[in-house]
Amino acid sequence: MSPNTESESRKLLGRLRDTMAEDAAGQARLDKITHLTADSMGTEVCSIYLFRDPETLELCATQGLNEAAVHQTRMKLGEGLVGRVARSGKMVNAADAPSARGFRYMPETGEEIYSSFLGVPIQRLGEKLGVLVVQSKEAREFSEDEVYALEVVAMVLAEMAELGAFVGEGAALKQRHTQAVLFRGATGQEGTAMGQAWLHEPRVVVTNLVADDPDTERTRLQEAVGELRVSVDEMVARAVGDQDQVDVLEAYRMFANSKGWLKRMEEDIDRGLSAEAAVEKEQSQARARMAQVTDGYLRERLSDLDDLSNRLLRILTGQGRETGAAMPDNPILIARNIGPGELLEYGRSLKGVVLEEGSVGSHAAIVARALAIPLVIHAERITNETLNGDLVLVDGDQGIVHLRPDDTVVSAFRDKIAMQAKAQERYAVLRDQDCVTADGCRVNLHMNAGLMADLPSLENSGAEGVGLFRTELQFLVRNQMPRRMELASLYARVLDAAKGKRVVFRTLDIGSDKVLPYMKPQEEPNPALGWRAIRVALDRPGVMRMQLQALMRAADGRALSIMFPFIAQYEEYARARAEVDTVLAREKRLGHIVPERLEIGCMLETPSLAFAPDRFFKEVEFLSIGGNDLKQFFFAADRENERVRRRYDSLNTSFLTFLEGIVARCEATSTALSFCGEDAGRPVEALCLAAIGVRTLSMRPASIGPVKSLLMRYSLGDVRRVIDESRSRGDQSVREAVMEFLRAHA
């Protein structure tokens, strides 16, 4: 390409635009693009490879290679230089291709006579679609200008592929967004749902990729950036008085005012792109960098830049979040990620939620559990693949999502939902019955909650009380610290709705993956083991005192149960208990009515607390085993890491023996004990927990029926004998033995 890059680039883009405007089949368009690209760049070869499936590339068009190889030559991801570009998402520029790392000769293409190779990824917003290649006989490395030109062509190819410009025969030229796709993610909240996709962030469609008047496009871009900066300044102004939130937004504003960001987009415009295309080119590169970065802070900053690009594109195109489309009757929310406040705004109208990111302990997961809707996380690329209205099947139990499934899958899924509905009808009959096992043991079943909307489930599910009321949701969904009287009013409504049944309020459990919007994030190498929960509360006691005052005033003389999270040693409990005593004494001095009975307990989530001095077990009034955290620390297996979190069984002999030790200590000191966590809501695990002596279980409301049904059918003594025999045989887990027993006595 000549040194006059701007004019040459604009010429190439203009010719591409004319090709796109022609009424031609997809294959003809691809063929013409390879011809004009090779001609413009002065190379003998230009080839387009597209993915026919996630692991296989197919040669779909070429100028210079053997035409007979088109749709015949295929290669796996990572195979050859083309596969190397596809896997890494980075260009390969080799003057002597046969000697380059990873080179593989494809004899059917006739490429042996070409020395130089330049390959760039065809990708859109981080989604890889294929590889664009030019080759020449002359052994040379392509210049920076030539690389840029090929990247622009690849970008246009990606955009036009999204708009359906290359549809033809064969898997590689299939119509996008029409095929059935299976996503394997992770369980955020159990349950199943079928409905229509509703994108939280509707896709911005860019149709005018090429512009003839760079001055006009520069002006459009500068005006849009100015509008964006004003909106960010307004966000910062609204946060005045809340320094932590201001600090976060200032980083956001820094990107919006970045001269380098604007300069790169203006350079793209000078080379022939429209303002929208220039923004999306920068956004795609940011997404590609984000996929390569492991550092949490850098990923968050790149995410800020991605969000700013979306805002800028909406300003330029006029395509706001409100598209005018009506939300379907059975919406399944699809998003990269979502904040708790935004998810609560949708409320119970949602049938399910699917996220590309998120975590099992994230804000979204907490709200999804509170709303009792299935949630699948880590469904990679689903926002790129989904269109509003697509049929979606969410299997939260397995962490699987079916997008646009075929009739066979839909029929099987409907059968599963029908079976679950029939089971719920059977469980409803047990709702008002006490949970008494076949050998006469009473097991108390409580529910977990975090919203006022949960409280109707207290009666409908047959729960005997609320074993865990998460108080952090009221802090997470706001942009500033809630006031004491607001919290007192909410807690009072919770106690009113409970109608005398016991409610255990867990004090603020933040940190790790639950960061308040108005609290400066703490960059920690391992947040789950860092500054979180009671550690934050003891270091900043003002917030804990305010919450304790709100709880006591909400009780208005009624019994009150308060539980501290993440206690690791006796000294932490003693300090937290001293804060309660201080607040209680102050409330009395002020003449406020204090609770008639005040119970103070702790969550046992760290192995260390199981070995606390006897003094602790005698002083604390109740303990609740926080199974989710305790299990990850016991097995040293991060529950956010899919590679390891399912590797260790809850019915592992070592873990059950450890839990038995806790049961024994609580029995010796007459300390009330319960188990709270996902395992409490799984019938087989619940049966085993009851068999080793845990007689109070707290779970999501939907699990109470299945758990009660199984517990009432079996003798805990018999199950305990099965566990002991399995342990004496040296079994690693008692699960197989227990399952054999259940099948034999079904």
Side-chain angles (χ1 to χ4, degrees):
M1 179 162 292
S2 76
N4 188 1
T5 309
E6 293 180 15
S7 60
E8 290 298 323
S9 179
R10 279 202 297 275
K11 286 179 185 176
L12 175 56
L13 284 172
R15 295 173 71 186
L16 280 173
R17 179 184 57 195
D18 294 342
T19 298
M20 294 301 122
E22 293 175 1
D23 185 12
Q27 184 65 56
R29 281 180 171 150
L30 284 174
D31 292 340
K32 192 155 188 179
I33 289 171
T34 59
H35 286 223
L36 70 87
T37 303
D39 180 55
S40 295
M41 295 193 64
T43 60
E44 290 91 348
V45 174
C46 176
S47 304
I48 297 171
Y49 298 82
L50 299 176
F51 280 105
R52 60 178 285 112
D53 62 53
E55 295 295 322
T56 312
L57 288 153
E58 182 177 299
L59 176 63
C60 290
T62 187
Q63 164 69 31
L65 299 183
N66 291 339
E67 290 187 10
V70 173
H71 298 303
Q72 300 303 313
T73 294
R74 294 168 189 169
M75 58 196 71
K76 291 296 183 183
L77 191 65
E79 182 181 4
L81 296 185
V82 173
R84 179 176 147 195
V85 173
R87 180 185 291 280
S88 68
K90 299 177 180 178
M91 68 112 174
V92 170
N93 187 355
D96 182 10
S99 65
R101 176 173 57 86
F103 175 80
R104 186 189 169 197
Y105 170 53
M106 301 295 222
E108 72 275 14
T109 65
E111 64 180 334
E112 67 274 11
I113 62 174
Y114 302 108
S115 295
S116 58
F117 175 99
L118 173 61
V120 299
I122 302 170
Q123 56 189 1
R124 182 181 186 273
L125 300 182
E127 181 185 13
K128 297 171 184 175
L129 304 176
V131 177
L132 177 62
V133 175
V134 291
Q135 296 170 272
S136 65
K137 294 178 182 177
E138 179 189 357
R140 67 186 181 91
E141 189 171 289
F142 289 90
S143 70
E144 185 178 323
D145 291 338
E146 289 171 318
V147 171
Y148 178 88
L150 201 64
E151 287 177 339
V152 169
V153 175
M155 176 194 168
V156 173
L157 281 169
E159 288 297 331
M160 299 315 294
E162 174 71 14
L163 295 172
F166 308 122
V167 176
E169 294 184 10
L173 298 185
K174 63 182 178 293
Q175 175 74 51
R176 287 173 58 75
H177 311 302
T178 59
Q179 307 296 311
V181 187
L182 172 66
F183 296 91
R184 297 188 182 276
T187 298
Q189 162 70 3
E190 295 167 342
T192 54
M194 179 166 63
Q196 285 74 48
W198 182 255
L199 286 162
H200 178 59
E201 288 275 358
R203 184 181 287 103
V204 176
V205 179
V206 177
T207 55
N208 59 322
L209 298 167
V210 183
D212 294 322
D213 187 349
D215 291 335
T216 299
E217 295 303 304
R218 271 174 167 266
T219 300
R220 290 181 63 233
L221 177 66
Q222 289 164 358
E223 289 176 351
V225 169
E227 186 176 334
L228 175 69
R229 289 171 175 170
V230 168
S231 69
V232 174
D233 288 342
E234 289 173 349
M235 290 167 60
V236 175
R238 287 196 295 270
V240 167
D242 191 330
Q243 192 55 47
D244 286 339
Q245 189 181 5
V246 169
D247 290 344
V248 173
L249 288 172
E250 283 293 357
Y252 201 61
R253 180 155 64 180
M254 179 187 71
F255 275 116
N257 287 279
S258 168
K259 292 181 180 178
W261 184 46
L262 179 58
K263 182 181 178 183
R264 288 193 299 273
M265 292 187 289
E266 288 176 335
E267 289 173 349
D268 291 330
I269 287 173
D270 288 338
R271 285 167 162 164
L273 293 182
S274 68
E276 290 89 339
V279 174
E280 194 161 278
K281 181 173 181 292
E282 281 298 305
Q283 186 180 21
S284 288
Q285 291 178 347
R287 285 264 184 104
R289 290 197 298 272
M290 201 185 307
Q292 308 288 330
V293 169
T294 56
D295 181 83
Y297 178 79
L298 289 178
R299 281 184 64 85
E300 192 174 333
R301 298 288 72 79
L302 285 168
S303 180
D304 287 344
L305 187 56
D306 188 58
D307 185 49
L308 280 171
S309 299
N310 274 332
R311 289 170 180 265
L312 190 53
L313 280 172
R314 294 189 190 286
I315 293 170
L316 282 165
T317 63
Q319 298 173 34
R321 286 191 180 183
E322 296 299 327
T323 62
M327 184 182 286
D329 293 333
N330 298 302
I332 304 291
L333 186 71
I334 309 291
R336 284 182 58 217
N337 216 333
I338 190 169
E342 293 172 306
L343 188 50
L344 279 171
E345 285 179 13
Y346 285 105
R348 294 184 186 275
S349 64
L350 298 176
K351 299 302 178 184
V353 179
V354 183
L355 302 178
E356 288 191 0
E357 301 174 2
S359 65
V360 294
S362 67
H363 309 161
I366 294 167
V367 174
R369 290 184 200 120
L371 296 174
I373 51 178
L375 168 66
V376 171
I377 57 177
H378 302 160
E380 295 181 6
R381 294 179 48 254
I382 193 165
T383 57
N384 288 334
E385 187 63 49
T386 306
L387 296 178
N388 273 343
D390 281 342
L391 180 62
V392 183
L393 310 180
V394 180
D395 188 338
D397 302 329
Q398 302 296 321
I400 289 173
V401 181
H402 298 272
L403 178 64
R404 298 183 292 268
D406 60 35
D407 292 343
T408 305
V409 174
V410 173
S411 178
F413 202 79
R414 281 197 173 118
D415 290 343
K416 180 176 181 177
I417 291 175
M419 289 175 63
Q420 290 175 337
K422 186 172 287 188
Q424 287 298 331
E425 291 176 9
R426 293 200 308 270
Y427 303 145
V429 176
L430 305 175
R431 184 181 63 189
D432 299 323
Q433 297 182 34
D434 289 340
C435 182
V436 180
T437 64
D439 54 348
C441 296
R442 179 79 160 81
V443 181
N444 303 298
L445 304 182
H446 292 189
M447 61 172 265
N448 300 330
L451 295 168
M452 275 300 300
D454 292 326
L455 272 300
S457 297
L458 189 54
E459 183 175 346
N460 298 335
S461 67
E464 298 169 65
V466 178
L468 167 65
F469 190 90
R470 305 179 184 91
T471 62
E472 56 269 13
L473 282 176
Q474 289 71 46
F475 289 79
L476 290 168
V477 299
R478 297 166 181 260
N479 290 322
Q480 59 186 15
M481 185 76 70
R483 295 176 180 174
R484 180 178 56 207
M485 292 313 297
E486 291 175 324
L487 292 177
S489 176
L490 171 72
Y491 301 152
R493 294 201 305 275
V494 170
L495 290 169
D496 291 342
K499 297 178 181 177
K501 290 184 178 179
R502 181 172 180 251
V503 178
V504 178
F505 291 93
R506 183 179 67 187
T507 58
L508 190 58
D509 185 3
I510 56 170
S512 184
D513 52 6
K514 297 192 286 288
V515 180
L516 301 182
Y518 40 87
M519 178 178 171
K520 187 175 182 179
Q522 301 296 312
E523 296 303 323
E524 299 181 294
N526 192 338
L529 297 174
W531 194 59
R532 54 175 291 202
I534 198 64
R535 297 168 181 176
V536 177
L538 292 176
D539 287 352
R540 296 192 177 172
V543 177
M544 180 164 64
R545 290 170 191 157
M546 181 269 286
Q547 189 179 25
L548 291 172
Q549 288 172 345
L551 285 165
M552 291 182 190
R553 294 179 188 183
D556 194 27
R558 291 173 287 193
L560 179 64
S561 298
I562 297 174
M563 179 165 64
F564 294 114
F566 209 63
I567 297 288
Q569 58 183 4
Y570 169 73
E571 184 264 347
E572 290 171 336
Y573 163 75
R575 287 179 60 194
R577 179 65 201 237
E579 291 291 346
V580 174
D581 293 338
T582 299
V583 171
L584 184 63
R586 184 174 183 275
E587 289 297 288
K588 289 179 179 177
R589 287 198 308 273
L590 293 173
H592 293 142
I593 301 172
V594 297
E596 63 176 3
R597 184 166 51 86
L598 184 60
E599 279 187 304
I600 304 299
C602 298
M603 292 206 78
L604 196 157
E605 300 168 277
T606 62
S608 63
L609 196 62
F611 301 98
D614 286 341
R615 179 182 178 185
F616 166 73
F617 284 87
K618 290 175 181 176
E619 287 186 18
V620 73
E621 285 153 299
F622 65 92
L623 284 173
S624 180
I625 296 172
N628 298 341
D629 261 331
L630 182 62
K631 193 163 67 173
Q632 77 166 336
F633 298 138
F634 184 85
F635 290 113
D638 184 356
R639 66 190 182 113
E640 305 290 351
N641 186 333
E642 288 300 308
R643 288 185 174 181
V644 299
R645 83 182 188 100
R646 296 182 183 275
R647 181 171 294 192
Y648 301 97
D649 190 355
S650 302
L651 300 185
N652 179 285
T653 304
S654 301
F655 190 55
L656 287 181
T657 302
F658 176 66
L659 293 179
E660 281 182 323
I662 298 170
V663 171
R665 294 201 72 181
C666 288
E667 287 177 347
T669 54
S670 299
T671 306
L673 177 67
S674 64
F675 188 102
C676 173
E678 293 174 5
D679 290 324
R682 295 180 175 134
V684 175
E685 282 85 340
L687 181 64
C688 292
L689 289 170
I692 65 170
V694 182
R695 298 300 163 79
T696 300
L697 305 171
S698 191
M699 64 203 74
R700 67 187 184 111
S703 297
I704 290 176
V707 168
K708 183 184 285 189
S709 176
L710 190 69
L711 285 171
M712 293 175 71
R713 283 157 46 202
Y714 291 94
S715 161
L716 295 186
D718 290 343
V719 177
R720 177 61 185 259
R721 280 190 288 276
V722 172
I723 291 173
D724 289 342
E725 290 168 4
S726 176
R727 183 162 35 197
S728 66
R729 287 195 301 269
D731 294 344
Q732 178 171 287
S733 170
V734 305
R735 185 176 297 279
E736 186 176 341
V738 171
M739 292 305 297
E740 284 182 9
F741 168 80
L742 297 179
R743 285 191 290 266
H745 296 82

